[in-house]
Amino acid sequence: MEQALLQFSQFTGIFAFMNSPWGWPVVESLHFFGLSLLIGTVGVFDLRMLGFGAGISYQFLHQLVPIGVFGYALNVTTGTMFLSSAPDQYLYNPAFQTKIGFMLVAGANMMWFYVTTSSKVRDTKDFGMVSARAKAIAFVSLACWCGVIICGRLITYFRPPYHWCFWC
Amino acid sequence: MLHCGKYLEGGSDLHTLARLEETGLSIMLRESGLAFFSSLTLHSLAMAFVVGINLALAFSLLGVIPSLLHSRFRPFLSFHWWAVGLIFLSGVALLIAYPAKALTNPVFYLKFFALSVGLLITWRLQRSKGMKILESSAVGARPGNAKSIGAAMLLCWMTTIGAGRFLAYTHSVLLASRFF
């Protein structure tokens, strides 16, 4: 897998760009920009479901979500650039594995929200409260994105021995 | 880049930073993994929230998303100011841990400047030009110069993020005490 990722990175020119003097910090900046977009839109919507900012319509705030989706796409793109340029620094790093775990839970949680709860939430009146299930989904979402940020910081501070991984 | 050479010529600035590095608080913040990591993580979490809220406001002013300039959005901005406090506290902790790393790097001052201007715009928007005027307006209203304010906000916050990330790559001095 490591070799395949490196080959992809070298073939697409990502490796050369990432190893240029400006490559890594520029992509890191874009990665944080995407994360901020996600927190500023999806995070705000989650906080609203938890009862913050009563009076703002759920339907209105839900219109911010496409910006969050754009932020997420930016994060996946830049994240792939990091991973493919230095796969050994990520694949065996428990902080990265936990980060991916949080992202998967956040994704499943979002799907659960759209399948079970979103239409009811959008129909809720401006000063109305959403169901306990919607609040639980919002809490899980916020917790996961905070977990993603914390693990993202941990990646650079936690360089494990290469043999360490959940599936080894 | 402002190189340490300028500081070494004078010597006194670097001496002051070295003295700060040798205080108990600085050593604790630098050498206790938990203290440094907690400061760094809190700084990132609070920064993501503050930048996120401000980017949402900027995009709403640029017309990309519906306008958030409504009095009902204020609780989020109050929360945002608490997060700004957290940025300040965690930032000071990081600065005390490695004072020379930041204070001898012009990128730090660029970050500080962009962050201050960005926050000033938000504060002015919240206090005078934005929400007070639009308090009675329907959701969706924007001030006349909305696009320029939105563009300025976007520039400030992108500069803050960029400078923050470049700080880790552009410092010329990590610890001033190593020079003495």
Side-chain angles (χ1 to χ4, degrees):
Chain A
M1 189 170 185
E2 228 179 290
Q3 280 308 311
L5 283 165
L6 263 177
Q7 275 172 3
F8 164 78
S9 182
Q10 282 162 349
F11 178 73
T12 52
I14 291 173
F15 188 85
F17 174 73
M18 292 298 280
N19 286 287
S20 66
W22 288 58
W24 210 276
V26 164
V27 177
E28 273 189 351
S29 304
L30 288 173
H31 197 68
F32 196 82
F33 182 73
L35 194 70
S36 301
L37 285 181
L38 200 67
I39 298 290
T41 54
V42 176
V44 162
F45 188 67
D46 289 337
L47 281 173
R48 177 69 194 93
M49 285 204 287
L50 287 170
F52 218 78
I56 305 179
S57 125
Y58 294 97
Q59 201 158 12
F60 169 72
L61 277 187
H62 193 259
Q63 293 177 73
L64 307 184
V65 171
I67 292 281
V69 173
F70 171 72
Y72 184 80
L74 194 60
N75 276 1
V76 170
T77 308
T78 49
T80 307
M81 291 171 82
F82 294 132
L83 175 65
S84 63
S85 301
D88 58 330
Q89 293 295 310
Y90 292 92
L91 288 176
Y92 311 113
N93 190 326
F96 174 73
Q97 293 160 11
T98 315
K99 180 177 177 173
I100 295 294
F102 275 125
M103 285 175 71
L104 290 174
V105 174
N109 185 58
M110 188 193 70
M111 286 202 307
W112 182 246
F113 172 72
Y114 280 106
V115 170
T116 62
T117 326
S118 77
S119 56
K120 282 180 199 159
V121 168
R122 272 180 285 183
D123 292 340
T124 307
K125 292 200 163 43
D126 293 4
F127 283 92
M129 296 289 272
V130 295
S131 65
R133 183 199 279 162
K135 283 187 179 181
I137 288 173
F139 180 78
V140 170
S141 171
L142 265 183
C144 281
W145 292 119
C146 288
V148 165
I149 296 174
I150 293 168
C151 290
R153 289 287 359 170
L154 261 175
I155 287 171
T156 49
Y157 278 85
F158 193 28
R159 305 271 187 215
Y162 280 2
H163 60 267
W164 205 107
C165 70
F166 281 124
W167 58 84
C168 294
Chain B
M1 200 191 303
L2 185 63
H3 288 287
C4 59
K6 182 202 164 208
Y7 284 83
L8 287 172
E9 280 164 25
S12 61
D13 292 334
L14 218 53
H15 260 296
T16 310
L17 295 174
R19 270 205 298 275
L20 182 58
E21 278 167 15
E22 282 158 10
T23 59
L25 181 63
S26 178
I27 293 169
M28 188 273 284
L29 284 167
R30 204 165 49 243
E31 292 183 1
S32 146
L34 186 67
F36 190 76
F37 179 71
S38 305
S39 309
L40 202 61
T41 305
L42 278 176
H43 198 69
S44 298
L45 277 171
M47 192 65 103
F49 188 78
V50 169
V51 177
I53 289 272
N54 279 288
L55 286 180
L57 273 174
F59 281 122
S60 85
L61 287 166
L62 289 167
V64 179
I65 54 173
S67 176
L68 296 172
L69 289 178
H70 196 274
S71 55
R72 286 178 188 174
F73 196 69
R74 274 194 178 139
F76 289 105
L77 285 174
S78 307
F79 195 53
H80 153 277
W81 289 112
W82 281 103
V84 170
L86 206 56
I87 288 177
F88 178 75
L89 290 176
S90 53
V92 167
L94 294 172
L95 193 62
I96 292 172
Y98 289 99
K101 185 184 174 189
L103 295 173
T104 58
N105 189 344
V107 176
F108 170 77
Y109 299 100
L110 177 66
K111 178 184 175 178
F112 196 74
F113 176 74
L115 178 75
S116 306
V117 175
L119 289 175
L120 187 69
I121 294 174
T122 311
W123 183 76
R124 286 201 37 122
L125 206 61
Q126 188 181 355
R127 294 280 159 175
S128 54
K129 286 201 168 180
M131 297 193 179
K132 272 189 180 169
I133 290 171
L134 296 170
E135 207 155 286
S136 56
S137 317
V139 170
R142 289 180 180 90
N145 52 351
K147 288 210 167 157
S148 11
I149 299 173
M153 284 178 89
L154 199 60
L155 181 70
C156 283
W157 292 108
M158 286 186 80
T159 307
T160 304
I161 295 173
R165 292 317 313 153
F166 271 85
L167 257 177
Y169 295 87
T170 52
H171 64 272
S172 53
V173 181
L174 183 65
L175 288 168
S177 43
R178 287 192 184 157
F179 290 95
F180 303 102

